[in-house]
Amino acid sequence: MRASLAGALLALLLVAAFLTGRFAATPEPAPPAALPPEPASLEPEESRTIAVFRAARDSVVAITTRTRVVDPFTRRTGETPLGSGSGFLWDAAGHVVTNDHVIQRASRAVVQLADGRSLEARVIGRDPTHDLAVLRIEGQDLPAPLPRPEAGEGLEVGQSVLAIGNPFGLDWTLTTGIVSALDRELPGDGGRAIRGLIQTDAAINPGNSGGPLLDARGRLVGVNTAIFSPSGASAGIGFAVPVATVARVVPQLIETGRYSPPSLGLGFDARINAAVNRQGLSGALVLEVAPGSQAARAGVEPARVARGRLLPGDVVVAIDGTPVENLDDLLALVDRRRAGEAVTVTLSRGGRLREVELELIEGR
């Protein structure tokens, strides 16, 4: 009786457990969460940036320099690391363009290519006035030079630009930005300003010097040369020498080892002219006219000294209509031209203005 009652109760409990789900079958595991969708395709701007970097990367080089030192105790000569910078291939002959300050005090320079090769480089020419220099490397299958815009194509503020270099030794770094301003100037070698610079917010840091600034089509538009930063790191204000200047300077460096700007055939003196400007006279005071020169034939008269006093002659106050406030202005305007070009020179003498046409000659 008790056994049958116990069995009946057990049966009722089993039925209740079944009905309440206490002994329900183990549920199937939940399906895994759906994977996130595949990344969206690249935006056109991203694709262009990637393509430009891939096309230009091999043409950019890293430059390390060393300098000779003499042990003060043993008097033995050795070498010590000096610094590093960037550069890029200019032509198929292995000429590499960089900044002059990158190799300024170097006794030896080594160029590292993107494929890992390290090649000894020799200095071909330097131009401190534009902070440009040319090295040359020799080897098989050297990278192709960077393409350049057609002559006459200009940059616009707001245009996209890319910088490739080796900031802080981090090889082949890409940064992007825009052209922030044009025709900037910075103090240069010997106190003479470097003019006509491109200002960009593409991050430029120590080690980027000498690397290329490219447009959105991968063409060379400048050579990164300096930054403005109280801390020494990028503050969004970088400067580059425009390609038009590079195209004037580099061929001369390759051919002669130095850059000689064209000349009006007139003589000037920076200290005397600065003193004259401080007295309120604008322009560039002519101090010398070569006898028989085109300037002499045009009647240009230099200043002269009489009874211990400087008697002004002609003062250059404009070139092709662009005002000349001082000698630096004159040199900058002439520097943008080539020998053989004719320019209209506005002269002032005794308060009277006149114009003469002079042909620029090869500088010395």
mmCIF file with all atom_site columns, all heavy atoms in Angstrom, residues 114-135:
data_model
loop_
_atom_site.group_PDB
_atom_site.id
_atom_site.type_symbol
_atom_site.label_atom_id
_atom_site.label_alt_id
_atom_site.label_comp_id
_atom_site.label_asym_id
_atom_site.label_entity_id
_atom_site.label_seq_id
_atom_site.pdbx_PDB_ins_code
_atom_site.Cartn_x
_atom_site.Cartn_y
_atom_site.Cartn_z
_atom_site.occupancy
_atom_site.B_iso_or_equiv
_atom_site.pdbx_formal_charge
_atom_site.auth_seq_id
_atom_site.auth_comp_id
_atom_site.auth_asym_id
_atom_site.auth_atom_id
_atom_site.pdbx_PDB_model_num
ATOM 1   N N   . ALA A 1 114 ? 64.335 52.866 -50.296 1.00 0.00 ? 114 ALA A N   1
ATOM 2   C CA  . ALA A 1 114 ? 63.185 52.164 -49.716 1.00 0.00 ? 114 ALA A CA  1
ATOM 3   C C   . ALA A 1 114 ? 63.337 50.650 -49.797 1.00 0.00 ? 114 ALA A C   1
ATOM 4   O O   . ALA A 1 114 ? 62.718 49.927 -49.012 1.00 0.00 ? 114 ALA A O   1
ATOM 5   C CB  . ALA A 1 114 ? 61.901 52.610 -50.418 1.00 0.00 ? 114 ALA A CB  1
ATOM 6   N N   . ASP A 1 115 ? 64.151 50.153 -50.740 1.00 0.00 ? 115 ASP A N   1
ATOM 7   C CA  . ASP A 1 115 ? 64.333 48.704 -50.855 1.00 0.00 ? 115 ASP A CA  1
ATOM 8   C C   . ASP A 1 115 ? 65.374 48.169 -49.877 1.00 0.00 ? 115 ASP A C   1
ATOM 9   O O   . ASP A 1 115 ? 65.714 46.980 -49.904 1.00 0.00 ? 115 ASP A O   1
ATOM 10  C CB  . ASP A 1 115 ? 64.704 48.321 -52.283 1.00 0.00 ? 115 ASP A CB  1
ATOM 11  C CG  . ASP A 1 115 ? 66.029 48.942 -52.754 1.00 0.00 ? 115 ASP A CG  1
ATOM 12  O OD1 . ASP A 1 115 ? 66.776 49.482 -51.911 1.00 0.00 ? 115 ASP A OD1 1
ATOM 13  O OD2 . ASP A 1 115 ? 66.308 48.901 -53.969 1.00 0.00 ? 115 ASP A OD2 1
ATOM 14  N N   . GLY A 1 116 ? 65.907 49.048 -49.023 1.00 0.00 ? 116 GLY A N   1
ATOM 15  C CA  . GLY A 1 116 ? 66.844 48.608 -47.996 1.00 0.00 ? 116 GLY A CA  1
ATOM 16  C C   . GLY A 1 116 ? 68.301 48.858 -48.318 1.00 0.00 ? 116 GLY A C   1
ATOM 17  O O   . GLY A 1 116 ? 69.157 48.738 -47.437 1.00 0.00 ? 116 GLY A O   1
ATOM 18  N N   . ARG A 1 117 ? 68.620 49.213 -49.552 1.00 0.00 ? 117 ARG A N   1
ATOM 19  C CA  . ARG A 1 117 ? 70.017 49.455 -49.906 1.00 0.00 ? 117 ARG A CA  1
ATOM 20  C C   . ARG A 1 117 ? 70.526 50.753 -49.287 1.00 0.00 ? 117 ARG A C   1
ATOM 21  O O   . ARG A 1 117 ? 69.801 51.745 -49.215 1.00 0.00 ? 117 ARG A O   1
ATOM 22  C CB  . ARG A 1 117 ? 70.172 49.540 -51.427 1.00 0.00 ? 117 ARG A CB  1
ATOM 23  C CG  . ARG A 1 117 ? 70.118 48.207 -52.134 1.00 0.00 ? 117 ARG A CG  1
ATOM 24  C CD  . ARG A 1 117 ? 70.340 48.381 -53.633 1.00 0.00 ? 117 ARG A CD  1
ATOM 25  N NE  . ARG A 1 117 ? 69.206 49.042 -54.277 1.00 0.00 ? 117 ARG A NE  1
ATOM 26  C CZ  . ARG A 1 117 ? 69.219 49.466 -55.543 1.00 0.00 ? 117 ARG A CZ  1
ATOM 27  N NH1 . ARG A 1 117 ? 70.325 49.331 -56.279 1.00 0.00 ? 117 ARG A NH1 1
ATOM 28  N NH2 . ARG A 1 117 ? 68.153 50.040 -56.071 1.00 0.00 ? 117 ARG A NH2 1
ATOM 29  N N   . SER A 1 118 ? 71.778 50.735 -48.851 1.00 0.00 ? 118 SER A N   1
ATOM 30  C CA  . SER A 1 118 ? 72.457 51.934 -48.357 1.00 0.00 ? 118 SER A CA  1
ATOM 31  C C   . SER A 1 118 ? 73.614 52.241 -49.298 1.00 0.00 ? 118 SER A C   1
ATOM 32  O O   . SER A 1 118 ? 74.488 51.393 -49.516 1.00 0.00 ? 118 SER A O   1
ATOM 33  C CB  . SER A 1 118 ? 72.968 51.732 -46.930 1.00 0.00 ? 118 SER A CB  1
ATOM 34  O OG  . SER A 1 118 ? 71.892 51.606 -46.025 1.00 0.00 ? 118 SER A OG  1
ATOM 35  N N   . LEU A 1 119 ? 73.616 53.445 -49.861 1.00 0.00 ? 119 LEU A N   1
ATOM 36  C CA  . LEU A 1 119 ? 74.611 53.825 -50.866 1.00 0.00 ? 119 LEU A CA  1
ATOM 37  C C   . LEU A 1 119 ? 75.364 55.066 -50.408 1.00 0.00 ? 119 LEU A C   1
ATOM 38  O O   . LEU A 1 119 ? 74.768 56.021 -49.908 1.00 0.00 ? 119 LEU A O   1
ATOM 39  C CB  . LEU A 1 119 ? 73.928 54.102 -52.208 1.00 0.00 ? 119 LEU A CB  1
ATOM 40  C CG  . LEU A 1 119 ? 73.098 52.959 -52.797 1.00 0.00 ? 119 LEU A CG  1
ATOM 41  C CD1 . LEU A 1 119 ? 72.387 53.425 -54.060 1.00 0.00 ? 119 LEU A CD1 1
ATOM 42  C CD2 . LEU A 1 119 ? 73.981 51.745 -53.086 1.00 0.00 ? 119 LEU A CD2 1
ATOM 43  N N   . GLU A 1 120 ? 76.680 55.020 -50.597 1.00 0.00 ? 120 GLU A N   1
ATOM 44  C CA  . GLU A 1 120 ? 77.484 56.206 -50.310 1.00 0.00 ? 120 GLU A CA  1
ATOM 45  C C   . GLU A 1 120 ? 77.103 57.317 -51.295 1.00 0.00 ? 120 GLU A C   1
ATOM 46  O O   . GLU A 1 120 ? 76.867 57.075 -52.477 1.00 0.00 ? 120 GLU A O   1
ATOM 47  C CB  . GLU A 1 120 ? 78.969 55.890 -50.449 1.00 0.00 ? 120 GLU A CB  1
ATOM 48  C CG  . GLU A 1 120 ? 79.506 54.944 -49.389 1.00 0.00 ? 120 GLU A CG  1
ATOM 49  C CD  . GLU A 1 120 ? 79.713 55.653 -48.052 1.00 0.00 ? 120 GLU A CD  1
ATOM 50  O OE1 . GLU A 1 120 ? 79.823 56.899 -48.049 1.00 0.00 ? 120 GLU A OE1 1
ATOM 51  O OE2 . GLU A 1 120 ? 79.777 54.961 -47.020 1.00 0.00 ? 120 GLU A OE2 1
ATOM 52  N N   . ALA A 1 121 ? 77.044 58.539 -50.777 1.00 0.00 ? 121 ALA A N   1
ATOM 53  C CA  . ALA A 1 121 ? 76.689 59.681 -51.614 1.00 0.00 ? 121 ALA A CA  1
ATOM 54  C C   . ALA A 1 121 ? 77.796 60.725 -51.553 1.00 0.00 ? 121 ALA A C   1
ATOM 55  O O   . ALA A 1 121 ? 78.472 60.868 -50.530 1.00 0.00 ? 121 ALA A O   1
ATOM 56  C CB  . ALA A 1 121 ? 75.376 60.295 -51.142 1.00 0.00 ? 121 ALA A CB  1
ATOM 57  N N   . ARG A 1 122 ? 77.972 61.412 -52.650 1.00 0.00 ? 122 ARG A N   1
ATOM 58  C CA  . ARG A 1 122 ? 78.917 62.523 -52.639 1.00 0.00 ? 122 ARG A CA  1
ATOM 59  C C   . ARG A 1 122 ? 78.178 63.820 -52.933 1.00 0.00 ? 122 ARG A C   1
ATOM 60  O O   . ARG A 1 122 ? 77.192 63.845 -53.675 1.00 0.00 ? 122 ARG A O   1
ATOM 61  C CB  . ARG A 1 122 ? 80.062 62.313 -53.646 1.00 0.00 ? 122 ARG A CB  1
ATOM 62  C CG  . ARG A 1 122 ? 79.650 62.143 -55.088 1.00 0.00 ? 122 ARG A CG  1
ATOM 63  C CD  . ARG A 1 122 ? 80.838 61.728 -55.934 1.00 0.00 ? 122 ARG A CD  1
ATOM 64  N NE  . ARG A 1 122 ? 80.478 61.514 -57.325 1.00 0.00 ? 122 ARG A NE  1
ATOM 65  C CZ  . ARG A 1 122 ? 80.573 62.432 -58.267 1.00 0.00 ? 122 ARG A CZ  1
ATOM 66  N NH1 . ARG A 1 122 ? 81.049 63.642 -57.977 1.00 0.00 ? 122 ARG A NH1 1
ATOM 67  N NH2 . ARG A 1 122 ? 80.241 62.167 -59.515 1.00 0.00 ? 122 ARG A NH2 1
ATOM 68  N N   . VAL A 1 123 ? 78.662 64.889 -52.334 1.00 0.00 ? 123 VAL A N   1
ATOM 69  C CA  . VAL A 1 123 ? 78.026 66.193 -52.495 1.00 0.00 ? 123 VAL A CA  1
ATOM 70  C C   . VAL A 1 123 ? 78.410 66.768 -53.854 1.00 0.00 ? 123 VAL A C   1
ATOM 71  O O   . VAL A 1 123 ? 79.590 66.894 -54.175 1.00 0.00 ? 123 VAL A O   1
ATOM 72  C CB  . VAL A 1 123 ? 78.443 67.150 -51.366 1.00 0.00 ? 123 VAL A CB  1
ATOM 73  C CG1 . VAL A 1 123 ? 77.820 68.523 -51.575 1.00 0.00 ? 123 VAL A CG1 1
ATOM 74  C CG2 . VAL A 1 123 ? 78.035 66.593 -50.008 1.00 0.00 ? 123 VAL A CG2 1
ATOM 75  N N   . ILE A 1 124 ? 77.396 67.134 -54.629 1.00 0.00 ? 124 ILE A N   1
ATOM 76  C CA  . ILE A 1 124 ? 77.614 67.718 -55.949 1.00 0.00 ? 124 ILE A CA  1
ATOM 77  C C   . ILE A 1 124 ? 77.588 69.239 -55.891 1.00 0.00 ? 124 ILE A C   1
ATOM 78  O O   . ILE A 1 124 ? 78.375 69.917 -56.543 1.00 0.00 ? 124 ILE A O   1
ATOM 79  C CB  . ILE A 1 124 ? 76.547 67.217 -56.944 1.00 0.00 ? 124 ILE A CB  1
ATOM 80  C CG1 . ILE A 1 124 ? 76.665 65.697 -57.113 1.00 0.00 ? 124 ILE A CG1 1
ATOM 81  C CG2 . ILE A 1 124 ? 76.672 67.912 -58.292 1.00 0.00 ? 124 ILE A CG2 1
ATOM 82  C CD1 . ILE A 1 124 ? 77.987 65.251 -57.709 1.00 0.00 ? 124 ILE A CD1 1
ATOM 83  N N   . GLY A 1 125 ? 76.667 69.787 -55.129 1.00 0.00 ? 125 GLY A N   1
ATOM 84  C CA  . GLY A 1 125 ? 76.572 71.241 -55.046 1.00 0.00 ? 125 GLY A CA  1
ATOM 85  C C   . GLY A 1 125 ? 75.697 71.658 -53.888 1.00 0.00 ? 125 GLY A C   1
ATOM 86  O O   . GLY A 1 125 ? 74.849 70.897 -53.406 1.00 0.00 ? 125 GLY A O   1
ATOM 87  N N   . ARG A 1 126 ? 75.908 72.910 -53.429 1.00 0.00 ? 126 ARG A N   1
ATOM 88  C CA  . ARG A 1 126 ? 75.141 73.453 -52.307 1.00 0.00 ? 126 ARG A CA  1
ATOM 89  C C   . ARG A 1 126 ? 74.724 74.880 -52.612 1.00 0.00 ? 126 ARG A C   1
ATOM 90  O O   . ARG A 1 126 ? 75.458 75.629 -53.257 1.00 0.00 ? 126 ARG A O   1
ATOM 91  C CB  . ARG A 1 126 ? 75.991 73.442 -51.038 1.00 0.00 ? 126 ARG A CB  1
ATOM 92  C CG  . ARG A 1 126 ? 76.376 72.071 -50.515 1.00 0.00 ? 126 ARG A CG  1
ATOM 93  C CD  . ARG A 1 126 ? 77.312 72.238 -49.324 1.00 0.00 ? 126 ARG A CD  1
ATOM 94  N NE  . ARG A 1 126 ? 76.739 73.173 -48.351 1.00 0.00 ? 126 ARG A NE  1
ATOM 95  C CZ  . ARG A 1 126 ? 77.469 73.875 -47.484 1.00 0.00 ? 126 ARG A CZ  1
ATOM 96  N NH1 . ARG A 1 126 ? 78.786 73.736 -47.456 1.00 0.00 ? 126 ARG A NH1 1
ATOM 97  N NH2 . ARG A 1 126 ? 76.884 74.702 -46.637 1.00 0.00 ? 126 ARG A NH2 1
ATOM 98  N N   . ASP A 1 127 ? 73.553 75.235 -52.129 1.00 0.00 ? 127 ASP A N   1
ATOM 99  C CA  . ASP A 1 127 ? 73.066 76.614 -52.231 1.00 0.00 ? 127 ASP A CA  1
ATOM 100 C C   . ASP A 1 127 ? 72.433 77.000 -50.898 1.00 0.00 ? 127 ASP A C   1
ATOM 101 O O   . ASP A 1 127 ? 71.230 76.810 -50.698 1.00 0.00 ? 127 ASP A O   1
ATOM 102 C CB  . ASP A 1 127 ? 72.058 76.759 -53.377 1.00 0.00 ? 127 ASP A CB  1
ATOM 103 C CG  . ASP A 1 127 ? 71.465 78.162 -53.423 1.00 0.00 ? 127 ASP A CG  1
ATOM 104 O OD1 . ASP A 1 127 ? 72.130 79.109 -52.969 1.00 0.00 ? 127 ASP A OD1 1
ATOM 105 O OD2 . ASP A 1 127 ? 70.323 78.307 -53.903 1.00 0.00 ? 127 ASP A OD2 1
ATOM 106 N N   . PRO A 1 128 ? 73.227 77.553 -49.978 1.00 0.00 ? 128 PRO A N   1
ATOM 107 C CA  . PRO A 1 128 ? 72.678 77.933 -48.673 1.00 0.00 ? 128 PRO A CA  1
ATOM 108 C C   . PRO A 1 128 ? 71.584 78.996 -48.763 1.00 0.00 ? 128 PRO A C   1
ATOM 109 O O   . PRO A 1 128 ? 70.715 79.050 -47.892 1.00 0.00 ? 128 PRO A O   1
ATOM 110 C CB  . PRO A 1 128 ? 73.905 78.465 -47.913 1.00 0.00 ? 128 PRO A CB  1
ATOM 111 C CG  . PRO A 1 128 ? 75.080 77.852 -48.607 1.00 0.00 ? 128 PRO A CG  1
ATOM 112 C CD  . PRO A 1 128 ? 74.686 77.750 -50.049 1.00 0.00 ? 128 PRO A CD  1
ATOM 113 N N   . THR A 1 129 ? 71.615 79.844 -49.791 1.00 0.00 ? 129 THR A N   1
ATOM 114 C CA  . THR A 1 129 ? 70.638 80.928 -49.871 1.00 0.00 ? 129 THR A CA  1
ATOM 115 C C   . THR A 1 129 ? 69.217 80.418 -50.066 1.00 0.00 ? 129 THR A C   1
ATOM 116 O O   . THR A 1 129 ? 68.252 81.104 -49.713 1.00 0.00 ? 129 THR A O   1
ATOM 117 C CB  . THR A 1 129 ? 70.976 81.893 -51.018 1.00 0.00 ? 129 THR A CB  1
ATOM 118 O OG1 . THR A 1 129 ? 70.960 81.190 -52.260 1.00 0.00 ? 129 THR A OG1 1
ATOM 119 C CG2 . THR A 1 129 ? 72.333 82.523 -50.808 1.00 0.00 ? 129 THR A CG2 1
ATOM 120 N N   . HIS A 1 130 ? 69.069 79.210 -50.619 1.00 0.00 ? 130 HIS A N   1
ATOM 121 C CA  . HIS A 1 130 ? 67.747 78.607 -50.771 1.00 0.00 ? 130 HIS A CA  1
ATOM 122 C C   . HIS A 1 130 ? 67.614 77.324 -49.952 1.00 0.00 ? 130 HIS A C   1
ATOM 123 O O   . HIS A 1 130 ? 66.611 76.616 -50.075 1.00 0.00 ? 130 HIS A O   1
ATOM 124 C CB  . HIS A 1 130 ? 67.463 78.287 -52.239 1.00 0.00 ? 130 HIS A CB  1
ATOM 125 C CG  . HIS A 1 130 ? 67.364 79.504 -53.115 1.00 0.00 ? 130 HIS A CG  1
ATOM 126 N ND1 . HIS A 1 130 ? 68.416 79.949 -53.874 1.00 0.00 ? 130 HIS A ND1 1
ATOM 127 C CD2 . HIS A 1 130 ? 66.337 80.369 -53.338 1.00 0.00 ? 130 HIS A CD2 1
ATOM 128 C CE1 . HIS A 1 130 ? 68.044 81.031 -54.540 1.00 0.00 ? 130 HIS A CE1 1
ATOM 129 N NE2 . HIS A 1 130 ? 66.798 81.316 -54.232 1.00 0.00 ? 130 HIS A NE2 1
ATOM 130 N N   . ASP A 1 131 ? 68.640 77.019 -49.143 1.00 0.00 ? 131 ASP A N   1
ATOM 131 C CA  . ASP A 1 131 ? 68.661 75.801 -48.331 1.00 0.00 ? 131 ASP A CA  1
ATOM 132 C C   . ASP A 1 131 ? 68.459 74.552 -49.187 1.00 0.00 ? 131 ASP A C   1
ATOM 133 O O   . ASP A 1 131 ? 67.682 73.667 -48.838 1.00 0.00 ? 131 ASP A O   1
ATOM 134 C CB  . ASP A 1 131 ? 67.609 75.856 -47.222 1.00 0.00 ? 131 ASP A CB  1
ATOM 135 C CG  . ASP A 1 131 ? 67.869 74.818 -46.127 1.00 0.00 ? 131 ASP A CG  1
ATOM 136 O OD1 . ASP A 1 131 ? 69.001 74.303 -46.056 1.00 0.00 ? 131 ASP A OD1 1
ATOM 137 O OD2 . ASP A 1 131 ? 66.937 74.502 -45.371 1.00 0.00 ? 131 ASP A OD2 1
ATOM 138 N N   . LEU A 1 132 ? 69.186 74.480 -50.289 1.00 0.00 ? 132 LEU A N   1
ATOM 139 C CA  . LEU A 1 132 ? 69.101 73.332 -51.187 1.00 0.00 ? 132 LEU A CA  1
ATOM 140 C C   . LEU A 1 132 ? 70.494 72.753 -51.420 1.00 0.00 ? 132 LEU A C   1
ATOM 141 O O   . LEU A 1 132 ? 71.493 73.479 -51.404 1.00 0.00 ? 132 LEU A O   1
ATOM 142 C CB  . LEU A 1 132 ? 68.486 73.729 -52.534 1.00 0.00 ? 132 LEU A CB  1
ATOM 143 C CG  . LEU A 1 132 ? 67.016 74.155 -52.517 1.00 0.00 ? 132 LEU A CG  1
ATOM 144 C CD1 . LEU A 1 132 ? 66.611 74.707 -53.881 1.00 0.00 ? 132 LEU A CD1 1
ATOM 145 C CD2 . LEU A 1 132 ? 66.118 72.988 -52.123 1.00 0.00 ? 132 LEU A CD2 1
ATOM 146 N N   . ALA A 1 133 ? 70.548 71.452 -51.633 1.00 0.00 ? 133 ALA A N   1
ATOM 147 C CA  . ALA A 1 133 ? 71.800 70.774 -51.942 1.00 0.00 ? 133 ALA A CA  1
ATOM 148 C C   . ALA A 1 133 ? 71.501 69.574 -52.825 1.00 0.00 ? 133 ALA A C   1
ATOM 149 O O   . ALA A 1 133 ? 70.379 69.055 -52.845 1.00 0.00 ? 133 ALA A O   1
ATOM 150 C CB  . ALA A 1 133 ? 72.512 70.324 -50.658 1.00 0.00 ? 133 ALA A CB  1
ATOM 151 N N   . VAL A 1 134 ? 72.522 69.143 -53.557 1.00 0.00 ? 134 VAL A N   1
ATOM 152 C CA  . VAL A 1 134 ? 72.395 67.989 -54.441 1.00 0.00 ? 134 VAL A CA  1
ATOM 153 C C   . VAL A 1 134 ? 73.484 66.975 -54.096 1.00 0.00 ? 134 VAL A C   1
ATOM 154 O O   . VAL A 1 134 ? 74.667 67.329 -54.000 1.00 0.00 ? 134 VAL A O   1
ATOM 155 C CB  . VAL A 1 134 ? 72.504 68.385 -55.919 1.00 0.00 ? 134 VAL A CB  1
ATOM 156 C CG1 . VAL A 1 134 ? 72.479 67.135 -56.811 1.00 0.00 ? 134 VAL A CG1 1
ATOM 157 C CG2 . VAL A 1 134 ? 71.374 69.330 -56.310 1.00 0.00 ? 134 VAL A CG2 1
ATOM 158 N N   . LEU A 1 135 ? 73.079 65.726 -53.878 1.00 0.00 ? 135 LEU A N   1
ATOM 159 C CA  . LEU A 1 135 ? 73.996 64.606 -53.709 1.00 0.00 ? 135 LEU A CA  1
ATOM 160 C C   . LEU A 1 135 ? 73.901 63.721 -54.949 1.00 0.00 ? 135 LEU A C   1
ATOM 161 O O   . LEU A 1 135 ? 72.983 63.853 -55.762 1.00 0.00 ? 135 LEU A O   1
ATOM 162 C CB  . LEU A 1 135 ? 73.627 63.782 -52.475 1.00 0.00 ? 135 LEU A CB  1
ATOM 163 C CG  . LEU A 1 135 ? 73.430 64.518 -51.153 1.00 0.00 ? 135 LEU A CG  1
ATOM 164 C CD1 . LEU A 1 135 ? 72.974 63.543 -50.082 1.00 0.00 ? 135 LEU A CD1 1
ATOM 165 C CD2 . LEU A 1 135 ? 74.700 65.223 -50.744 1.00 0.00 ? 135 LEU A CD2 1
#
